[in-house]
Amino acid sequence: MNENSVVSLRQKDDIDDPLTEILRTGARRLITRAVEVEFDTFLASNSDLTLPDGRQRVVRHGHDPVRTIQTGIGPVKVQKPKARDRSAPEAGERIRFTSSILPKWARRTKSIDALLPALYLRGISAGDFQEVLTALLGKDAPNLSTAVIARLKGEWEDEYQRWQKRDLSARRYVYVWADGVYLQARMEPQAECMLVLIGATPEGKKELIGFQTGMRESAQSWKELLVDLKARGLSIAPEVAVGDGALGFWKALDETFPSTRHQRCWLHKTLNVLDKFPKSVQPNAHKDLREIWLAPDRATAETAIATFAEKYAPKYDKAVECLIKDRETLLTFFDFPADHWDHLRTTNPLKACSRRSGIVQSA
């Protein structure tokens, strides 16, 4: 811990202010009301069940003991109503009330569960977790000892291994985005490159397909990832893949899914082309490049490329060559539905996912 902590530990006893307590009280009331509504719905769904003497079979039966849920605004005390099934044991399995809002063993909100691995990856040592959580969540933050953090770390690793071995035979991805991103985890002197693949299902849902450490420019590293996904059931080739031209991904893709078409990322290509212009020319060149990728159809884009080449080739032939050599793979997106073009032109879906995770940065 250092003096640049989010909140100085010298101030930790002063964190629980009246406003925070008001928020906690409001949260407690909202949770109580939500669970009561959930319980009333449960009772109503069983209201037609009666005993031989006409009484209701399933009735309210007090509350479970009060328990504390750790939330982003500190601890909130909650209590769940209980139901009683008054039928005899021989009537079959007793009907019980299970809350989806307050699962039986829940002690933390999902946001806290997400915070813990993020803190770990950011370099917080296991022994400092309690002090950090006290600063963030208040003096009643849960006691997360070194042993508890070690256990949680083991659970995260087990969950990751299960995810890496999951069956993909029922999955199909129409589009995929590939890139290499660099971890900012645990403050190692040299960041590792993570090869990341994201896919879009036919329904339009974007999913993380797979990732592994490797070399961004290595075709072998990418092939290992793709072959592993294929071995776990991902047999249907995506229609198109989007990525940066510098990746070893393309060679691996052609060997693994040869029918998948290539779409080069316009964001990367624009930066590469502009890098070959003097700064004074870059604004106009950028405007002309936008005329290409924002064209309403392929024919208009082809005309814009020809105009770009004619305008800049006499003095900036390297910039024009950088654009022209990938002409076909830059315009692949025009062969797909127009409402998909914004997604297919760049690897932005992947970068957005990386930024949201908070632990990686774009390569």
Side-chain angles (χ1 to χ4, degrees):
M1 298 289 295
N2 57 47
E3 57 188 22
N4 293 323
S5 300
V6 177
V7 178
S8 171
L9 296 181
R10 292 189 298 271
Q11 301 171 357
K12 65 182 180 181
D13 292 331
D14 301 323
I15 292 174
D16 293 326
D17 58 90
L19 178 57
T20 300
E21 187 54 40
I22 291 172
L23 293 173
R24 290 176 188 166
T25 300
R28 183 166 55 251
R29 289 174 179 169
L30 286 173
I31 293 171
T32 299
R33 179 57 185 153
V35 175
E36 285 292 339
V37 170
E38 186 181 32
F39 186 72
D40 289 344
T41 301
F42 164 80
L43 290 179
S45 68
N46 291 283
S47 61
D48 58 336
L49 301 178
T50 58
L51 299 174
D53 60 5
R55 292 180 300 156
Q56 290 293 125
R57 173 180 169 179
V58 182
V59 295
R60 178 184 290 270
H61 187 60
H63 290 79
D64 286 336
V66 174
R67 57 181 157 134
T68 299
I69 300 291
Q70 190 63 46
T71 74
I73 56 172
V76 175
K77 294 185 182 300
V78 296
Q79 197 173 27
K80 181 176 72 66
K82 288 197 303 183
R84 179 188 175 193
D85 184 349
R86 297 192 290 194
S87 64
E90 57 269 19
E93 185 177 352
R94 291 190 180 278
I95 298 173
R96 303 179 187 276
F97 171 59
T98 301
S99 172
S100 60
I101 299 172
L102 291 176
K104 186 174 182 180
W105 303 111
R107 292 296 181 270
R108 297 186 300 269
T109 60
K110 290 183 178 180
S111 61
I112 300 298
D113 283 339
L115 172 64
L116 298 179
L119 289 175
Y120 178 81
L121 289 170
R122 284 291 184 180
I124 301 298
S125 66
D128 287 336
F129 260 75
Q130 186 58 43
E131 291 183 340
V132 171
L133 290 175
T134 297
L136 292 174
L137 305 176
K139 62 185 178 183
D140 294 323
N143 179 24
L144 292 173
S145 65
T146 302
V148 173
I149 295 300
R151 177 178 59 78
L152 289 173
K153 179 174 175 287
E155 292 176 1
W156 302 332
E157 290 174 347
D158 291 343
E159 184 178 355
Y160 166 72
Q161 291 300 329
R162 289 194 299 272
W163 185 84
Q164 285 286 60
K165 296 176 182 177
R166 73 199 188 284
D167 180 20
L168 297 173
S169 57
R171 311 305 298 157
R172 185 198 168 201
Y173 299 100
V174 182
Y175 308 138
V176 295
W177 293 263
D179 204 354
V181 294
Y182 287 91
L183 294 176
Q184 294 178 330
R186 305 303 299 163
M187 301 182 180
E188 291 92 344
Q190 184 172 356
E192 282 190 307
C193 184
M194 185 69 73
L195 311 182
V196 183
L197 202 65
I198 284 179
T201 67
E203 298 76 28
K205 180 182 178 182
K206 294 185 178 72
E207 298 178 348
L208 178 63
I209 305 175
F211 63 91
Q212 69 178 35
T213 56
M215 295 181 61
R216 187 169 178 270
E217 294 80 9
S218 167
Q220 180 60 33
S221 294
W222 281 105
K223 187 171 183 180
E224 290 172 7
L225 174 59
L226 293 174
V227 168
D228 176 64
L229 296 174
K230 198 169 184 179
R232 287 192 280 122
L234 192 64
S235 57
I236 301 177
E239 293 186 26
V240 64
V242 187
D244 175 15
L247 297 176
F249 169 75
W250 302 111
K251 183 174 185 295
L253 180 70
D254 288 341
E255 294 175 355
T256 312
F257 295 108
S259 64
T260 299
R261 299 181 63 185
H262 297 196
Q263 169 62 51
R264 292 296 174 87
C265 172
W266 266 101
L267 177 62
H268 286 92
K269 176 57 70 175
T270 297
L271 294 174
N272 291 337
V273 172
L274 293 179
D275 191 51
K276 294 169 174 54
F277 284 103
K279 289 187 177 180
S280 60
V281 181
Q282 287 179 5
N284 286 334
H286 186 227
K287 181 180 178 182
D288 292 333
L289 287 170
R290 284 173 55 86
E291 293 295 321
I292 302 171
W293 80 68
L294 293 179
D297 51 58
R298 180 186 283 269
T300 305
E302 293 276 9
T303 300
I305 290 177
T307 300
F308 185 93
E310 183 179 0
K311 183 175 182 179
Y312 294 109
K315 290 188 67 175
Y316 309 108
D317 58 308
K318 290 185 178 179
V320 173
E321 181 185 353
C322 181
L323 174 67
I324 297 299
K325 69 184 180 71
D326 293 319
R327 179 189 200 122
E328 290 303 316
T329 54
L330 284 168
L331 303 181
T332 301
F333 70 90
F334 281 113
D335 296 334
F336 294 86
D339 55 350
H340 297 180
W341 291 356
D342 284 346
H343 302 276
L344 292 175
R345 282 192 290 246
T346 76
T347 54
N348 276 346
L350 189 149
K351 297 184 190 308
C353 176
S354 299
R355 285 192 294 270
R356 285 194 299 271
S357 72
I359 62 171
V360 293
Q361 64 180 10
S362 171

